[in-house]
Amino acid sequence: MKQLLVLVLFCLTVKGVAQDMQVADSLQSGYVKYIFKRQVSPFSQEYADAPAFLNFNSSETVFVAGRFGMEEKHNTGELMGDSAAIGYVGPTSSEKGFMVYRNFITKEITYNQLKLASFPPYVVKDNWVEMKWELSEKTKVIAGYNVKKATTIFRGTKYTVWYTDSIPLPYGPLKLFGLPGVILEATVHNVGMNGRDTTYKAFEVCYPCSNNQTIEAPVEDVVKTIEEEVLFRDNFQYYFVSESNEKFKPFGGKMFLSELPSERAILNKRKESHEKVYEWETKDTKRVLQGIDYKSLLDPNKKGGEDLTLPDFSKF
C-alpha cells in the first residue's frame, strides 16, 4: 500500500512538472514574420522581396525561407532563393524551404540544403559558435516594438541587427542569436562581388501566442558535418564532374574541368556567400581537396595553373 502511494505521488509530481513546463513553454512561444529584401541588380534601384519566418518556444527556434506558397503575395522579381545558411543560390522555393534549427538546451544547430544539380538534398550539422555583439544606444520602432541596435561579425561577414527586449529571448533569423531579445531586423553587409546588402525586417510579430507551425530539425537521408559541407562547396566543381563522369562512363563520354581550383579562387568564391571564413581555419588550412589528381580532369585545350579562378558554379 505504501509503495502504491509513493508511485501515485510520483506520477502526480511528474504530471505537475510536465504541465508547468507546458505552461512555461506556451508563455514563451511565438513567431516573427520577415520580409527579405535585396537589390535585384547593382544597376537597379528595384528590390525583390520574399517572406521568411521565425517560430520559437522556450528552448527551440526554426527559421524558414523559400517554402512553397510563401512567395504568393510578394514581389519575388528576379530574386533567387538565398539559403539562410551559407548563401547558396538556388530555386526560389521548395516544399520544405530553407530551414535553420536551433536547440538551446542541447546546443544543436542544423540546416538543410536543397537538391543541387544531381546531388540529393541533405542536412548539415553546424557548430554552435557564440557571437560577440557590440551593443548600441540607438533605438527605433519595428512592427510596434521598440528595438535597439547591435552589430557583430560572424564568419567574416558583418551583421547589423535591431532587437527588442520586450521579447527577452536570445533568438533571431538566419543563424543569428545571443542578444537579450528577439531580433526583428537583420542586415547582412557586403555580400557578393558587388557588395550589396540584404535585409530581413519583421512585419508581423506574435508573442506570446500559440504556434501552429511545428518546430523541428530538418531531416534528409544524407547528413554532413559543417566541415564536410564546406569542403564539398569549396570543391563542388570537382564533385560534379567526377560524378557526371561515372554516369557517362558506359557511353564513353567524359567531362573536364575548365580550370584548376586554388586557395585564392575558393576564397574569392566565398565572397558570394554569407560565410567567408570558418572558426577552424588558419592561414595554413588547405581548402582544395588533398590527394586528388585534378590535372587528369583538366580540359586538354586549356593550360592549367594554380592562379586560375573557378568557373561560376551557378551554371550547374
Side-chain angles (χ1 to χ4, degrees):
M1 183 67 181
K2 184 177 180 180
Q3 291 178 335
L4 179 60
L5 180 60
V6 171
L7 179 61
V8 171
L9 289 175
F10 174 76
C11 292
L12 290 174
T13 301
V14 171
K15 182 179 180 181
V17 170
Q19 289 176 337
D20 289 342
M21 290 178 64
Q22 289 178 347
V23 171
D25 195 60
S26 65
L27 290 176
Q28 297 186 74
S29 295
Y31 65 79
V32 180
K33 293 183 179 180
Y34 302 88
I35 285 292
F36 164 72
K37 289 183 176 290
R38 181 175 62 185
Q39 199 170 359
V40 173
S41 77
F43 311 106
S44 171
Q45 294 302 311
E46 295 182 5
Y47 284 77
D49 62 60
F53 61 83
L54 175 73
N55 285 322
F56 58 87
N57 57 34
S58 61
S59 61
E60 301 169 289
T61 66
V62 62
F63 175 77
V64 182
R67 179 174 289 178
F68 280 158
M70 291 176 64
E71 75 285 357
E72 291 179 357
K73 297 182 179 179
H74 298 273
N75 167 38
T76 54
E78 297 300 318
L79 178 66
M80 298 295 280
D82 193 315
S83 169
I86 59 174
Y88 159 64
V89 177
T92 302
S93 59
S94 70
E95 183 178 350
K96 296 180 180 179
F98 299 105
M99 302 171 62
V100 180
Y101 168 84
R102 276 190 187 273
N103 186 311
F104 284 77
I105 295 178
T106 62
K107 296 298 179 71
E108 171 190 1
I109 172 173
T110 58
Y111 63 87
N112 66 328
Q113 291 287 17
L114 302 184
K115 176 179 171 61
L116 180 60
S118 56
F119 296 98
Y122 55 91
V123 166
V124 180
K125 291 186 176 181
D126 205 341
N127 296 332
W128 190 278
V129 181
E130 299 291 341
M131 297 180 178
K132 298 179 181 179
W133 292 97
E134 182 176 337
L135 306 183
S136 169
E137 295 301 318
K138 292 185 177 180
T139 63
K140 63 179 182 179
V141 177
I142 297 176
Y145 286 82
N146 293 321
V147 294
K148 299 177 182 179
K149 182 181 178 181
T151 57
T152 191
I153 295 177
F154 174 62
R155 289 178 174 169
T157 294
K158 180 180 178 181
Y159 294 84
T160 297
V161 307
W162 297 84
Y163 68 96
T164 177
D165 49 20
S166 296
I167 309 178
L169 295 167
Y171 303 156
L174 305 172
K175 294 183 183 179
L176 301 173
F177 79 109
L179 284 164
V182 171
I183 296 170
L184 299 188
E185 181 178 317
T187 297
V188 189
H189 295 288
N190 198 28
V191 175
M193 295 183 64
N194 297 301
R196 290 174 287 171
D197 291 349
T198 59
T199 298
Y200 292 83
K201 186 173 182 179
F203 67 91
E204 182 180 333
V205 180
C206 184
Y207 172 82
C209 63
S210 298
N211 217 323
N212 295 325
Q213 297 291 332
T214 301
I215 300 177
E216 58 186 9
V219 177
E220 297 291 352
D221 292 336
V222 179
V223 179
K224 300 178 186 287
T225 65
I226 182 64
E227 292 84 1
E228 291 170 336
E229 157 71 344
V230 171
L231 196 63
F232 174 75
R233 288 284 170 177
D234 285 345
N235 296 273
F236 174 74
Q237 191 191 20
Y238 165 78
Y239 286 104
F240 176 76
V241 171
S242 297
E243 188 201 45
S244 298
N245 284 341
E246 285 298 312
K247 294 180 178 179
F248 294 156
K249 190 179 293 184
F251 308 101
K254 185 175 183 180
M255 292 182 67
F256 291 97
L257 293 170
S258 58
E259 297 172 337
L260 290 178
S262 69
E263 296 275 330
R264 188 181 70 177
I266 286 173
L267 290 175
N268 283 336
K269 182 60 185 175
R270 285 191 189 178
K271 292 179 181 179
E272 299 296 310
S273 167
H274 288 183
E275 299 183 2
K276 301 171 178 60
V277 63
Y278 294 86
E279 54 276 6
W280 65 84
E281 294 183 318
T282 69
K283 64 179 181 180
D284 299 320
T285 298
K286 299 298 182 183
R287 297 168 182 84
V288 179
L289 282 169
Q290 301 300 298
I292 299 298
D293 182 14
Y294 278 104
K295 292 184 179 180
S296 66
L297 290 177
L298 188 67
D299 187 338
N301 297 318
K302 288 198 173 188
K303 180 180 178 181
E306 284 300 307
D307 290 331
L308 294 175
T309 57
L310 290 172
D312 184 0
F313 290 170
S314 64
K315 70 181 182 181
F316 301 120

